[in-house]
Amino acid sequence: MSVNRTRARRRLQAFRITVFTVLGLFFLVPLASMAAYSIRVPGGGRTLDYWKQLGQDPDLRSAIITSLELAFLTVVLMLVLLVPTMIWVRLRVRSMSRVVEFLCLLPLTIPAIVLVVGLKGVYAWVAYFFGDTSLTLTFAYVVLVLPYAYRAIDAGLASIDVVTLSEAARSLGAGWFTVIARIIVPNIGAALLSAAFISVALVLGEFTLASLLNYTNLQVVINLLGKSDSQTSVAASLASLVFAFVILILLSFVGRRRTARRATIDIAPAPQPSTKEG
Amino acid sequence: MSRRVRRLVPLLGLVPFFGYLTIFLLIPTVAVVVGAFVENDRASLSNIKALGDDVVLRTLWHSVVLSAESAVIGAVLGALLAYAVVTGNPDGLLRRSVTSACGVLAQFGGVTLAFAFIATLGFSGVVTEAGRDLFGIDLFGSGWLFGLKGLTLVYTYFQIPLMVIVFLPSLDGMRVQWREAAESLGASTWQFWRYIAGPLLLPAFLGSMLLLFANAFAAYATAAALVSQGSPILPLLIRNALTSEIVLGQSHLAFALALDMIVVVVIVMTLYALLLRRTSRWLT
């Protein structure tokens, strides 16, 4: 019996080592290849020229700025739209909570490519009212990040007693605006931060909507660059990837700190299809 | 009367939210469905009929095969990885780093992922050149990376981590006591997997696989950056229809194709919801 046990355990150990090694290689080799490719000189030798190119190429530079602006605007608009709504639902119109949740998670099931087809008509009007600038992509991006932001904020609100807090504040004479802005929002800081992080990561990687609505963002320019200067484009990809990785890793730390306080909160990016830029 | 009005007042707080989503989510979705039945500003079934075209059907088939293959490969490898993780220390560094990495990698896609594989296995990719120099083999072949086989491989890169994220909780739901009970009744490892763990995990496994299928089916950016010629899969055919406006003489073909995608995704997600309900009975 115990000989069997030891043998079983050894077999399990061998299985685990094999899986981790093989899959580890599968995931690391493309990343390492990108790094090697971006510093390689055709014919031999290494250079950082392609990386220096990143800061100098005017198209790339303005695209980076556009994408950062888009990320910022998306986060602001998302917070302004979602936070008061979600708090209001919890406080005053509980009966609507399922409807709001359904609408927030809906973009997960509608592929971005389908959304683009429908958005073409809407964006004719958006361009009419706001001008034909890439920054108008913000409106569509808020929809894309909605499910992730909703999950993060919902987890944050679940971890505090919204109703009691607001009743206490109300009984002391606070108005609704004070309740939302000065009582509840400061209490869900970590949740708002993780909602913002995931939104930034998604916006910086977004390609589908921008390219098909004929706007320019970082990924669109990187993709164009790939046709003329593949090494600079790979360097740019790697840079944007590392940036997104750092943001998502920061996110997992914010999540862990919160999970430590309340064991039941699930902060891992939602296991659902199609919002990711696949 | 006045009480009813007063009860409705708090609903006004939701007007901005509903207004926004109506414009940027509901109208576009409805526009796709309606647009599929319109041609030259008139109700028409010509676009729906065009879905029966050979080219469209073949493209749909390619999309289904690509999604299915990458879902099966991703599900099997992801399940193995999840099992390797779950058999370790539940609070250990290994488990934490693998789950964090999976959370990040499942989000990884688009242009960047396509370029990562071009830098690896493209014509002058790092691994391709290493293969040429060290072993004299041609991994690039005739450019398989830029076709359906390449897409399957590249999609696996985000399917495996996604599988780990969605399947890990089910594996966690397995109780050690079930195994001990089975062993004390004399069950072998094979019997345990065949009669207890297998049937329990199967719905969760199949459900996760459906999710992976929908994920691959909806993916566009990676394929768009990787495949510049032809439209082997449905999302790329939609790009084609959108940019060239008139394919096969139908200006609204993109709408019909998009509707085609919605139908497939809705079927898959419905099955997923059904399986999920079954799973939650035991493994929560």
Side-chain angles (χ1 to χ4, degrees), chain B residues 68-269:
Chain B
E69 277 179 0
S70 76
V72 170
I73 298 171
V76 170
L77 295 179
L80 289 180
L81 181 56
Y83 185 69
V85 167
V86 103
T87 45
N89 176 4
D91 301 312
L93 183 67
L94 185 73
R95 172 165 184 160
R96 269 193 298 158
S97 39
V98 171
T99 47
S100 301
C102 284
V104 173
L105 290 172
Q107 299 290 331
F108 177 29
V111 179
T112 322
L113 181 63
F115 281 16
F117 272 87
I118 291 173
T120 312
L121 287 167
F123 180 73
S124 57
V126 173
V127 172
T128 314
E129 298 219 320
R132 254 180 229 140
D133 297 346
L134 299 178
F135 309 106
I137 45 172
D138 183 18
L139 288 168
F140 182 73
S142 49
W144 61 274
L145 182 65
F146 303 101
L148 279 174
K149 276 190 199 137
L151 285 177
T152 311
L153 175 75
V154 176
Y155 280 18
T156 317
Y157 200 92
F158 54 69
Q159 296 281 52
I160 295 174
L162 181 63
M163 181 66 184
V164 173
I165 296 176
V166 286
F167 194 58
L168 204 56
S170 302
L171 281 179
D172 271 334
M174 299 281 296
R175 304 268 174 281
V176 187
Q177 290 89 324
W178 299 344
R179 173 119 209 192
E180 289 167 355
E183 273 179 5
S184 72
L185 291 169
S188 66
T189 305
W190 159 249
Q191 282 171 322
F192 172 72
W193 281 101
R194 170 70 184 78
Y195 296 107
I196 298 168
L200 272 173
L201 288 173
L202 191 64
F205 181 80
L206 292 178
S208 309
M209 206 149 73
L210 283 175
L211 205 59
L212 265 55
F213 180 93
N215 191 37
F217 195 76
Y220 164 78
T222 310
L226 204 58
V227 182
S228 52
Q229 291 199 331
S231 310
I233 57 171
L234 210 49
L236 295 185
L237 196 60
I238 294 180
R239 162 175 77 176
N240 207 5
L242 274 179
T243 46
S244 63
E245 287 298 342
I246 298 167
V247 188
L248 314 169
Q250 267 105 6
S251 66
H252 271 70
L253 185 64
F255 290 86
L257 293 172
L259 182 65
D260 217 5
M261 283 195 80
I262 293 183
V263 170
V264 173
V265 172
V266 165
I267 293 173
V268 171
M269 294 311 286

Side-chain angles (χ1 to χ4, degrees), chain A residues 16 27 40 88 139 276-278, chain B residues 10 20 84 106 110 124 157 220:
Chain A
R16 299 184 67 212
F27 284 105
R40 191 178 62 183
W88 193 248
F139 295 117
K276 176 186 53 53
E277 265 304 295
Chain B
Y20 191 91
S124 57
Y157 200 92
Y220 164 78

Side-chain angles (χ1 to χ4, degrees), chain A residues 249-260:
Chain A
I249 285 166
L250 282 177
L251 170 75
S252 74
F253 276 114
V254 175
R256 192 161 316 133
R257 219 178 54 214
R258 218 147 43 79
T259 349

Side-chain angles (χ1 to χ4, degrees), chain B residues 22-67:
Chain B
T22 304
I23 297 173
F24 291 103
L25 181 62
L26 300 182
I27 288 181
T29 312
V30 173
V32 167
V33 178
V34 174
F37 295 94
V38 171
E39 186 62 35
N40 298 326
D41 296 326
R42 214 176 281 168
S44 155
L45 284 177
S46 63
N47 292 296
I48 301 296
K49 285 206 188 99
L51 292 180
D53 186 87
D54 276 351
V55 177
V56 177
L57 284 180
R58 200 177 325 128
T59 314
L60 174 65
W61 176 242
H62 284 166
S63 262
V64 169
V65 170
L66 166 66
S67 310

Side-chain angles (χ1 to χ4, degrees), chain A residues 52-127:
Chain A
K52 286 187 192 127
Q53 194 72 34
L54 294 188
Q56 287 158 3
D57 186 316
D59 287 344
L60 201 54
R61 216 163 55 193
S62 76
I64 292 172
I65 294 170
T66 306
S67 272
L68 288 175
E69 284 172 341
L70 276 170
F72 175 77
L73 290 174
T74 303
V75 167
V76 171
L77 187 55
M78 176 273 290
L79 290 176
V80 167
L81 190 70
L82 206 48
V83 174
T85 304
M86 289 179 66
I87 294 175
W88 193 248
V89 165
R90 275 172 188 265
L91 290 179
R92 298 298 306 274
V93 273
R94 279 233 146 239
S95 54
M96 295 301 283
S97 66
R98 296 309 293 256
V99 180
V100 171
E101 180 183 10
F102 173 77
L103 284 173
C104 284
L105 298 184
L106 194 57
L108 283 180
T109 50
I110 303 175
I113 180 88
V114 170
L115 206 56
V116 165
V117 175
L119 274 170
K120 278 251 168 184
V122 173
Y123 262 77
W125 287 98
V126 168

